[in-house]
Amino acid sequence: MDKSIEHEFHFSRRAQQLTSSAIREILKVTERAEIISFAGGLPAPSGFPVEVIRAAFDKILRDNGKVALQYGTTEGFAPLRHWITEEMNKEGANITSDQILMVSGSQQALDLISKIMVNEGDKILVENPSYLGALQAFSVYQPNYMPVLTDDGGLVPDSITPQIAKDARFIYALPNFQNPTGRTLNLERREKLVSIMANLNIPIIEDDPYGELRYNGTPKPSLLSLSNKLGGTVIRLGTFSKVLAPGLRLGYIVAPTNIIKKLVQAKQAADLHTCTLTQMAVYDVVKDGFLEKHLPKVRNIYKTQGSCMLEAIRKEFPAETKWTKPEGGMFLWITLPEHINSTELLKKAVDRNVAFVTGRPFYIAPGYGQNNTIRLSFATVPEEK
Amino acid sequence: MDKSIEHEFHFSRRAQQLTSSAIREILKVTERAEIISFAGGLPAPSGFPVEVIRAAFDKILRDNGKVALQYGTTEGFAPLRHWITEEMNKEGANITSDQILMVSGSQQALDLISKIMVNEGDKILVENPSYLGALQAFSVYQPNYMPVLTDDGGLVPDSITPQIAKDARFIYALPNFQNPTGRTLNLERREKLVSIMANLNIPIIEDDPYGELRYNGTPKPSLLSLSNKLGGTVIRLGTFSKVLAPGLRLGYIVAPTNIIKKLVQAKQAADLHTCTLTQMAVYDVVKDGFLEKHLPKVRNIYKTQGSCMLEAIRKEFPAETKWTKPEGGMFLWITLPEHINSTELLKKAVDRNVAFVTGRPFYIAPGYGQNNTIRLSFATVPEEK
């Protein structure tokens, strides 16, 4: 018996911000086996190093099972935090391991950061369009979104005037192969962004789930490492979802220690700590340089599938169509001729067993954005399809 | 370089509610190997079925690795939700599996429930003293606590008058071997509690992490199953932390479907979903009746260590000392003669390499509670110590 109490139950104002993700709803439709889906943001399972992960879990449970299965510290497994610190410092981050908090995937980082930084009605700056999951996490805390101008080169730092940025709690940005557009910020824009935000005294949330999936062009310095010379506060989010496997739910936050301290308290109240066993197993996988051998294989999968998709777009789409040419990651962004409504197109596509995501949900407000945009993922569809 | 920005950084009002757990701070002191600690709430590692869990992880990664490592649904792994449903229904819960949401430990359940139910300033009813981790989770959402009278039999349902309960969002209760007191509600009080709350139209949050750890006396029906005949809304929290192992971070919420639907949205925004691999492995462990063989061993550990502790208390403590005699779980509660301050006593005890937790942090407000109370855990200290 389900005693549903829809009509008498009063949810919090916060709960009223929660809606089911438009993308999740579309994905339900596209779970049918015959559908070729370019909709989801699921990494390619062919890139999961299943046997290596299996060996690591087995080793940890064999040698250290009682520790791996006991409660752990909220901050996370110390050797893994130390490993992440060293990796970041190779790239110039210049951090210590007490600046790292392990979290249950980057999504939790977005939740915890909003929780400790955003009061109802506070302004936050976001690229427009931006990552839908981030918008969902932020919206629970009822911010006022201020969209930041983007063009073919990603967000436009010069558009962030003191007036636009006034009293903002942070700016949220994905500098590499942005979700949903696939765009990457060049060095000049990165430096400008860090400098401008430092002058405005507003922290940058640098979300970088895809940075290791670069298959063309040269890597750009992280906003975190640029802040060493240019000043300002950068809170950087990383994850093992795209370099190992997303089902593990393991990510991390890099931040100044006073912010980490508050995030640790927030995480303690939210779920005590992230699975000890998973952290120990992932440390065992990565500690001796495994990713250096593994990542080229993953990048190659995305490069092949991405090229294949670009080729198909060139052939199949109408002449006035524009699209991004990502140097890495999992997504590209299509702008159709203005008279085409991508929602109408999706309905027709699903009838022909093809799915994608319309651009609309990635825009932060009804007044912004275009009806003729599409996000395509080339991550999970093998080349031959 | 740690760019600590303590003096310029404005955290949210919510963040200002966050403080480090008094218990965690004490535990840091007591991590020294020579200390005999009755402080922590850590389950006995000798009760972790390490080899069974190891075999399950290995089997899942061998047979079904790519699914186990991919993103999963927010609701959780369907066969495990189905198994929990059947277990609950054996006890009379009368639920369907769409009333189950898998979460990353019960702590996350407390966070998500507060998130969707509590606005700043809303009244919530809690036993006094109550579980510290729950108070931490709730406090983030800035409720007004209304303490509910407790006596040697646990919370006193008759004390919940319409005036006390007016506009409360929920009552939070641990009916079995309560943390911190070890007290259990008898059948009469359970029925009264469910009836009274049903009449008042206020949901009950039934947190039952220890229910399976009963080693004396007869099991009592859950508040959820009593609500089938007595009415009202019961949201029940369960966990695998005490029956398998806490480091896995796996728990679940049982609630009416309209509440589950909102909780699913909140969880999606908070961390997308709980680790797929862990859910699949735990299902593999429990699906063929493993717990029926395993739980008697765990109960026996706690029974032996609990009896040993009661014996020691009888011998060692002053004549006017009172203490609870739990029928299960991990904790007992000592009320010292009034002139003894338990905080002062703890300092002396730590000098002699013994640690415990004072009662103070479990009370919800400075005006309530006693300075002469102690919580002792008999879970992690072997009998011989």
Side-chain angles (χ1 to χ4, degrees):
Chain A
M1 179 189 60
D2 173 21
K3 293 161 293 174
S4 191
I5 49 170
E6 192 85 55
H7 299 296
E8 349 170 3
F9 200 79
H10 298 284
F11 290 107
S12 64
R13 288 191 303 278
R14 203 177 294 115
Q16 289 154 25
Q17 303 299 314
L18 290 163
T19 51
S20 191
S21 151
I23 287 187
R24 290 254 155 182
E25 294 307 311
I26 292 166
L27 284 176
K28 278 186 188 166
V29 178
T30 64
E31 272 167 5
R32 306 201 311 262
E34 69 274 19
I35 290 255
I36 300 177
S37 176
F38 304 104
L42 281 62
S46 56
F48 301 165
V50 177
E51 284 307 312
V52 175
I53 291 173
R54 182 182 166 206
F57 273 89
D58 198 57
K59 183 179 155 197
I60 298 300
L61 284 167
R62 185 189 67 210
D63 298 343
N64 225 342
K66 286 183 181 170
V67 173
L69 295 173
Q70 186 57 283
Y71 283 118
T73 62
T74 304
E75 290 83 350
F77 185 54
L80 183 57
R81 293 165 66 215
H82 184 70
W83 181 88
I84 292 165
T85 304
E86 300 215 313
E87 289 297 303
M88 297 258 155
N89 285 344
K90 284 179 195 168
E91 195 263 329
N94 199 11
I95 56 166
T96 54
S97 62
D98 57 356
Q99 290 178 253
I100 308 264
L101 168 64
M102 300 306 303
V103 291
S104 306
S106 280
Q107 187 71 28
Q108 185 178 48
L110 298 167
D111 178 62
L112 296 177
I113 287 168
S114 328
K115 198 178 248 177
I116 68 155
M117 292 173 75
V118 180
N119 289 315
E120 194 173 335
D122 280 352
K123 187 195 282 183
I124 62 179
L125 306 171
V126 293
E127 294 167 283
N128 194 33
S130 186
Y131 169 51
L132 189 54
L135 300 179
Q136 285 184 291
F138 300 152
S139 291
V140 172
Y141 301 95
Q142 299 159 272
N144 263 320
Y145 289 112
M146 175 63 78
V148 172
L149 187 68
T150 59
D151 62 16
D152 290 346
L155 79 78
V156 182
D158 283 331
S159 74
I160 308 169
T161 61
Q163 195 193 340
I164 281 178
K166 186 174 187 299
D167 294 329
R169 307 311 304 257
F170 59 75
I171 182 169
Y172 172 72
L174 296 117
N176 291 316
F177 330 125
Q178 197 239 20
N179 184 351
T181 64
R183 289 170 186 147
T184 295
L185 283 187
N186 67 20
L187 179 60
E188 189 195 343
R189 287 202 180 183
R190 286 174 195 239
E191 289 178 338
K192 269 197 178 164
L193 176 63
V194 172
S195 294
I196 288 170
M197 300 318 289
N199 285 335
L200 292 166
N201 198 22
I202 295 170
I204 301 173
I205 313 296
E206 176 184 34
D207 193 2
D208 190 20
Y210 316 111
E212 294 286 359
L213 304 182
R214 173 180 284 280
Y215 48 72
N216 279 332
T218 49
K220 307 282 183 289
S222 68
L223 304 180
L224 176 63
S225 65
L226 289 174
S227 74
N228 275 320
K229 55 173 184 175
L230 301 171
T233 301
V234 174
I235 299 174
R236 184 177 158 87
L237 315 186
T239 175
F240 290 95
S241 287
K242 278 78 191 182
V243 299
L244 288 178
L248 297 171
R249 312 305 305 124
L250 189 61
Y252 50 90
I253 307 177
V254 188
T257 51
N258 62 324
I259 298 178
I260 287 291
K261 193 175 158 193
K262 201 48 95 174
L263 288 167
V264 167
Q265 292 167 357
K267 178 160 171 76
Q268 190 180 314
D271 68 357
L272 295 183
H273 67 87
T274 295
C275 179
T276 325
L277 171 59
T278 303
Q279 293 186 71
M280 291 174 80
V282 164
Y283 174 66
D284 191 72
V285 168
V286 298
K287 69 183 165 59
D288 297 319
F290 170 75
L291 290 180
E292 287 161 40
K293 295 169 289 178
H294 175 63
L295 283 173
K297 293 180 203 168
V298 181
R299 290 178 195 126
N300 202 43
I301 294 169
Y302 294 130
K303 179 173 187 162
T304 307
Q305 292 175 186
S307 306
C308 174
M309 180 173 279
L310 284 170
E311 186 62 31
I313 292 168
R314 257 189 300 273
K315 285 186 195 158
E316 307 293 341
F317 277 71
E320 315 96 284
T321 305
K322 285 173 29 176
W323 58 89
T324 59
K325 294 162 199 75
E327 298 186 326
M330 298 163 44
F331 305 107
L332 61 81
W333 184 252
I334 293 181
T335 307
L336 296 161
E338 278 191 19
H339 67 276
I340 301 182
N341 181 308
S342 58
T343 307
E344 296 300 315
L345 189 68
L346 175 58
K347 286 178 193 155
K348 290 180 198 161
V350 169
D351 289 341
R352 296 178 186 191
N353 290 338
V354 173
F356 55 80
V357 180
T358 61
R360 172 59 65 197
F362 298 93
Y363 294 102
I364 56 157
Y368 299 95
Q370 300 159 279
N371 286 321
N372 56 332
T373 53
I374 283 176
R375 186 193 76 173
L376 292 183
S377 164
F378 44 86
T380 23
V381 181
E383 194 183 349
E384 61 273 18
K385 285 205 176 177
Chain B
M1 180 189 57
D2 172 20
K3 293 161 293 176
S4 191
I5 50 171
E6 192 85 56
H7 299 295
E8 349 171 2
F9 201 77
H10 297 285
F11 290 107
S12 65
R13 288 191 303 278
R14 204 177 293 114
Q16 289 153 24
Q17 302 299 313
L18 290 163
T19 50
S20 189
S21 151
I23 288 187
R24 292 252 155 182
E25 293 306 312
I26 292 166
L27 284 175
K28 278 186 189 167
V29 178
T30 64
E31 272 167 4
R32 306 200 312 261
E34 68 275 20
I35 290 254
I36 300 177
S37 176
F38 304 104
L42 280 62
S46 55
F48 301 165
V50 177
E51 284 306 314
V52 175
I53 292 172
R54 181 182 166 205
F57 273 89
D58 198 57
K59 183 179 154 196
I60 298 300
L61 284 168
R62 186 189 65 211
D63 298 344
N64 224 342
K66 286 182 181 170
V67 173
L69 295 173
Q70 187 55 284
Y71 283 118
T73 62
T74 305
E75 291 82 351
F77 185 54
L80 182 57
R81 293 165 66 214
H82 185 70
W83 180 88
I84 293 165
T85 304
E86 299 214 313
E87 288 297 303
M88 297 256 154
N89 286 343
K90 284 181 194 166
E91 194 263 328
N94 198 12
I95 56 167
T96 54
S97 61
D98 57 356
Q99 290 178 253
I100 307 264
L101 168 64
M102 300 307 302
V103 290
S104 305
S106 280
Q107 187 71 28
Q108 186 177 47
L110 298 167
D111 178 61
L112 297 176
I113 287 169
S114 328
K115 199 177 247 178
I116 69 155
M117 292 174 74
V118 180
N119 288 315
E120 194 174 335
D122 279 353
K123 188 195 281 183
I124 63 178
L125 306 171
V126 293
E127 296 166 284
N128 193 34
S130 188
Y131 170 51
L132 189 55
L135 300 180
Q136 285 184 290
F138 301 152
S139 290
V140 172
Y141 301 96
Q142 300 159 273
N144 261 320
Y145 289 111
M146 175 64 79
V148 172
L149 187 68
T150 59
D151 63 16
D152 290 346
L155 80 79
V156 182
D158 283 331
S159 72
I160 307 169
T161 61
Q163 195 194 338
I164 281 177
K166 186 172 187 302
D167 294 329
R169 307 311 305 258
F170 59 74
I171 182 169
Y172 171 72
L174 295 115
N176 291 315
F177 330 124
Q178 197 238 19
N179 184 352
T181 65
R183 288 169 186 148
T184 295
L185 281 187
N186 67 20
L187 179 60
E188 189 194 345
R189 287 201 179 184
R190 285 173 196 242
E191 289 178 338
K192 269 198 176 165
L193 177 63
V194 172
S195 293
I196 288 170
M197 300 318 289
N199 285 335
L200 292 167
N201 197 23
I202 295 170
I204 300 173
I205 313 295
E206 176 183 34
D207 192 1
D208 191 20
Y210 316 111
E212 293 287 359
L213 304 183
R214 173 179 282 282
Y215 49 72
N216 279 332
T218 49
K220 308 283 183 289
S222 69
L223 304 179
L224 176 64
S225 66
L226 290 173
S227 74
N228 275 319
K229 55 173 184 175
L230 301 172
T233 300
V234 174
I235 299 175
R236 184 177 157 87
L237 315 187
T239 175
F240 290 96
S241 288
K242 277 79 192 182
V243 300
L244 288 178
L248 296 170
R249 311 306 305 124
L250 189 61
Y252 49 90
I253 307 177
V254 189
T257 51
N258 61 324
I259 297 178
I260 288 289
K261 192 175 157 194
K262 201 48 95 175
L263 288 168
V264 167
Q265 292 167 358
K267 178 159 170 78
Q268 190 180 313
D271 67 359
L272 295 183
H273 67 87
T274 295
C275 179
T276 325
L277 171 59
T278 303
Q279 294 185 72
M280 292 174 80
V282 165
Y283 174 65
D284 191 71
V285 168
V286 299
K287 69 184 166 58
D288 296 320
F290 169 75
L291 290 180
E292 287 161 41
K293 295 170 290 179
H294 175 62
L295 284 173
K297 292 180 205 170
V298 181
R299 291 178 195 125
N300 201 44
I301 294 169
Y302 293 130
K303 179 173 186 162
T304 307
Q305 292 175 185
S307 306
C308 174
M309 182 174 277
L310 285 170
E311 186 62 31
I313 293 169
R314 256 190 302 273
K315 284 186 197 158
E316 306 294 339
F317 277 72
E320 314 96 282
T321 305
K322 285 173 29 176
W323 58 89
T324 58
K325 294 163 198 74
E327 297 186 327
M330 297 161 44
F331 304 107
L332 60 80
W333 184 251
I334 292 181
T335 307
L336 296 161
E338 278 191 20
H339 66 277
I340 301 182
N341 181 308
S342 58
T343 307
E344 296 301 315
L345 189 68
L346 175 57
K347 286 177 194 157
K348 289 180 197 160
V350 169
D351 289 342
R352 295 178 186 191
N353 291 338
V354 172
F356 55 80
V357 179
T358 61
R360 173 59 65 196
F362 298 93
Y363 294 102
I364 57 157
Y368 298 96
Q370 300 159 278
N371 286 322
N372 56 333
T373 52
I374 283 176
R375 185 192 78 173
L376 292 183
S377 164
F378 44 88
T380 23
V381 182
E383 193 183 350
E384 61 273 18
K385 285 206 176 174

